[in-house]
Amino acid sequence: MLRCVRRGLPRLAVRRSPVACAAATPSRVVDVRTALLSATWLRLDVASAARLMATLSKPQELHRHRKRLESFGKDAAKGDSKTLAACHDLLKDDDWFARKTAIDTIAKVANQGDEAQLSLLYRHLEDSDIFVREASVDAVMEIARPEDDVAVSKLSMRLADDDCFVRTRAVVGLGRIGRKGDKELVSLLDDMFEDGFVPVRKKTIEAAVLLALPGDPAVAERLKRCLSDSDRGVREEAKNATARFSQPSA
């Protein structure tokens, strides 16, 4: 009789009802074992169902979450503190789209030179998501004041970013907010002339001309070498930049 109980235990692994397995056992054994096995059976079913429902509902929840963000901050006034506070909360979201939405909104709403917002943006220059990092570079470019040494330093670090589009935006940002005649900054761009991504090389030419003093021999030599670049667009950019760079300043 007890062999039926022992045989009944492994059958639970193939999802058979514990009540059926214990049908031929003594009543005392049935009462205890059936209760325990039924409880295990139900727990497994509930857990499996919960996992299945979570798997099925996650994409729909994410879609609804992103739809709600489509109008986030659209009508916010410049410097609106409530919108900026909401952005701070949104930057904690696990979804990259939510964080990027917050960054884009900060770039639009924050006042120029707002150090609190810039501090947040500096942290997200190192975000795990490439789209958030790219948006953060653009936002720093928008909010930082020209020749802001901290902002220039933070953007300079993105020249080594793994993503080519982040590097491109960093070069553009340095050309926009960097200090004219800053030889150290111009020298940081030197390696970018050899970047494997064509837009990086083109934007580096633009940034170097913006930052260098007219007639800077190092930049002039770099532009000359770019005339032999493998990409036609880079060669054209270098040709036009050389013409502008050689003109005396007004």
Side-chain angles (χ1 to χ4, degrees):
M1 297 291 286
L2 292 177
R3 282 185 299 176
C4 294
V5 177
R6 288 197 293 270
R7 289 175 183 173
L9 290 175
R11 289 179 186 175
L12 183 59
V14 293
R15 314 298 291 169
R16 291 194 58 187
S17 170
V19 177
C21 295
T25 60
S27 59
R28 292 179 182 177
V29 178
V30 170
D31 291 341
V32 177
R33 289 186 179 271
T34 300
L36 291 174
L37 295 177
S38 296
T40 303
W41 174 270
L42 290 173
R43 282 201 303 273
L44 289 173
D45 274 359
V46 171
S48 299
R51 286 195 296 271
L52 179 60
M53 289 300 295
T55 301
L56 293 175
S57 63
K58 188 173 182 180
Q60 289 86 347
E61 290 177 2
L62 183 61
H63 176 71
R64 287 194 293 269
H65 180 49
R66 292 182 176 181
K67 287 292 288 184
R68 287 193 295 269
L69 292 174
E70 287 182 356
S71 59
F72 180 81
K74 294 292 184 183
D75 301 321
K78 199 73 172 175
D80 183 67
S81 58
K82 289 185 178 180
T83 300
L84 292 173
C87 288
H88 296 181
D89 292 335
L90 203 55
L91 285 172
K92 302 172 185 176
D93 201 294
D94 291 334
D95 180 26
W96 69 267
F97 183 84
R99 300 197 303 278
K100 182 181 182 300
T101 299
I103 296 293
D104 291 339
T105 303
I106 290 173
K108 186 185 74 169
V109 176
N111 292 313
Q112 188 176 40
D114 188 328
E115 293 297 335
Q117 309 311 318
L118 284 169
S119 295
L120 275 175
L121 295 175
Y122 294 153
R123 290 204 294 271
H124 286 277
L125 286 172
E126 301 179 7
D127 195 277
S128 59
D129 184 83
I130 59 175
F131 296 108
V132 177
R133 295 202 302 275
E134 187 177 351
S136 298
V137 170
D138 288 343
V140 169
M141 197 190 320
E142 289 295 324
I143 299 174
R145 297 185 186 280
E147 302 182 3
D148 183 325
D149 290 336
V150 175
V152 168
S153 175
K154 296 294 185 180
L155 291 185
S156 296
M157 295 176 67
R158 292 300 97 204
L159 295 177
D161 198 280
D162 292 337
D163 183 74
C164 56
F165 292 101
V166 176
R167 296 197 302 275
T168 302
R169 301 309 299 162
V171 169
V172 172
L174 291 173
R176 182 181 296 185
I177 68 173
R179 182 179 289 104
K180 184 78 171 178
D182 186 341
K183 291 187 176 182
E184 183 177 352
L185 180 55
V186 173
S187 67
L188 286 177
L189 294 175
D190 197 56
D191 289 341
M192 310 312 290
F193 285 102
E194 306 294 339
D195 194 276
F197 189 52
V198 168
V200 171
R201 301 203 298 276
K202 292 177 69 174
K203 293 301 181 182
T204 299
I205 292 172
E206 292 182 16
V209 171
L210 287 171
L211 293 170
L213 294 174
D216 185 314
V219 173
E221 177 61 26
R222 262 303 186 180
L223 293 178
K224 182 179 179 181
R225 289 162 62 181
C226 288
L227 293 172
S228 302
D229 192 274
S230 60
D231 181 79
R232 180 179 178 181
V234 174
R235 295 196 300 271
E236 288 294 325
E237 185 66 38
K239 181 180 178 180
N240 295 332
T242 300
R244 296 195 306 271
F245 193 61
S246 60
Q247 292 177 354
S249 58

